[in-house]
Amino acid sequence: MKIKKVLVSQPKPASEKSPYYDIAEKYGVKIDFRPFIKVESLSAKEFRQQKVSILDHTAVIFTSRHAIDHFFNLCTELRVAIPETMKYFCVTEAVALYIQKYVQYRKRKIFFGATGKIEDLVPSIVKHKTEKYLVPMSDVHNDDVKNLLDKNHIQHTEAVMYRTVSNDFTSDEEFDYDMLVFFSPAGVTSLKKNFPDFDQKEIRIGTFGSTTAQAVRDAGLRLDLEAPTVQAPSMTAALDMFIKENNK
């Protein structure tokens, strides 16, 4: 069966130059963008239950823009005034620049890594070893940051400030796709929550990342496309090759 309609479980690309649009035009395929999950802040009441005092800390480690949004939103809700002296350590320059949405950007108090990996940020953190670090996190996270900070004897507190929840489909939303593309295990969980009687039949499923691929298998579904690979390092490259092969 040819692929004519694809659902990508991510927000619509900001740029019209996205490779997804090139694929749609090249193969005459309709590609819709619709996140299966959304991120929401914990309430002030929920946060207080963790007994974490934001002002006991002198530096914050941000691993994403989500973390920045929810940290500052929560501070507003808690009526916590962040001191000018607070330092911010970000995984990338793009994340660091995003802080300007909330505070004045000062080079002497904002630090960032080059690769986007937390390991790359550690040397900057170690240079400021006397700081007391706060790490805003999602309710679903691994221990990579904790383990690295512990290994380097960095004083820190992890605090859950936001959560990933299912972005439920409404009854009037069409769900008639030949292919679904997922980027996180939470997206697969949301599919099963929204459509408990989901019968895959001829619908192809593609994933990016090994944990998402495993989530599809664990859900008892058939995985038709797994990225990244050596030949296809991105989801769009993998999708291009897959549609080309299937729509002959």
Side-chain angles (χ1 to χ4, degrees):
M1 190 176 82
K2 284 190 174 184
I3 297 165
K4 296 173 185 173
K5 199 172 177 185
V6 179
L7 180 61
V8 175
S9 63
Q10 280 202 322
K12 191 175 180 179
S15 169
E16 292 297 320
K17 292 187 171 70
S18 167
Y20 284 111
Y21 296 126
D22 296 336
I23 292 169
E25 192 174 342
K26 193 196 294 189
Y27 300 108
V29 173
K30 187 176 191 306
I31 300 180
D32 289 340
F33 299 91
R34 205 279 187 195
F36 275 68
I37 55 175
K38 60 184 177 182
V39 178
E40 63 180 26
S41 285
L42 262 64
S43 67
K45 183 182 177 183
E46 288 171 316
F47 178 73
R48 284 193 193 100
Q49 289 170 358
Q50 297 177 70
K51 295 187 166 50
V52 173
S53 172
I54 292 169
L55 295 179
D56 282 350
H57 302 83
T58 57
V60 188
I61 296 173
F62 288 126
T63 54
S64 68
R65 292 181 187 186
H66 277 315
I68 292 173
D69 283 334
H70 297 293
F71 170 78
F72 285 105
N73 290 344
L74 210 49
C75 285
T76 301
E77 196 179 337
L78 292 161
R79 295 191 175 90
V80 170
I82 302 298
E84 292 280 320
T85 52
M86 187 70 84
K87 293 188 176 77
Y88 304 101
F89 293 76
C90 308
V91 286
T92 64
E93 185 178 11
V95 171
L97 290 170
Y98 189 70
I99 290 177
Q100 290 178 108
K101 186 176 172 184
Y102 299 98
V103 296
Q104 200 172 354
Y105 192 102
R106 291 201 179 100
K107 284 184 178 174
R108 68 176 180 276
K109 69 173 189 176
I110 295 180
F111 309 85
F112 54 85
T115 64
K117 292 181 179 175
I118 190 69
E119 292 88 346
D120 191 43
L121 192 56
V122 168
S124 295
I125 293 170
V126 170
K127 278 182 192 171
H128 298 83
K129 211 162 188 171
T130 57
E131 306 291 345
K132 292 180 180 176
Y133 289 88
L134 180 66
V135 188
M137 302 193 112
S138 166
D139 61 331
V140 179
H141 59 266
N142 56 38
D143 289 329
D144 292 357
V145 177
K146 179 186 185 302
N147 294 340
L148 270 171
L149 296 177
D150 284 345
K151 184 180 170 185
N152 288 279
H153 309 291
I154 302 297
Q155 192 177 351
H156 71 282
T157 308
E158 292 162 80
V160 173
M161 291 191 169
Y162 52 103
R163 65 166 74 86
T164 302
V165 296
S166 175
N167 187 16
D168 291 344
F169 281 71
T170 58
S171 57
D172 60 347
E173 277 187 87
E174 285 186 2
F175 195 75
D176 55 347
Y177 295 95
D178 304 311
M179 185 168 188
L180 309 174
V181 179
F182 293 101
F183 292 81
S184 74
V188 181
T189 303
S190 176
L191 171 72
K192 298 292 276 187
K193 178 180 180 287
N194 275 282
F195 306 101
D197 301 322
F198 178 72
D199 187 358
Q200 186 174 357
K201 293 182 182 173
E202 295 295 312
I203 300 170
R204 275 57 152 234
I205 292 179
T207 58
F208 191 84
S210 56
T211 54
T212 310
Q214 191 56 48
V216 168
R217 296 187 190 101
D218 290 345
L221 299 169
R222 185 186 68 253
L223 182 61
D224 301 287
L225 171 65
E226 188 175 351
T229 63
V230 176
Q231 296 85 3
S234 67
M235 191 68 237
T236 46
L239 194 58
D240 191 320
M241 289 165 62
F242 188 78
I243 293 175
K244 183 180 181 181
E245 184 62 34
N246 280 269
N247 286 13
K248 280 179 179 175

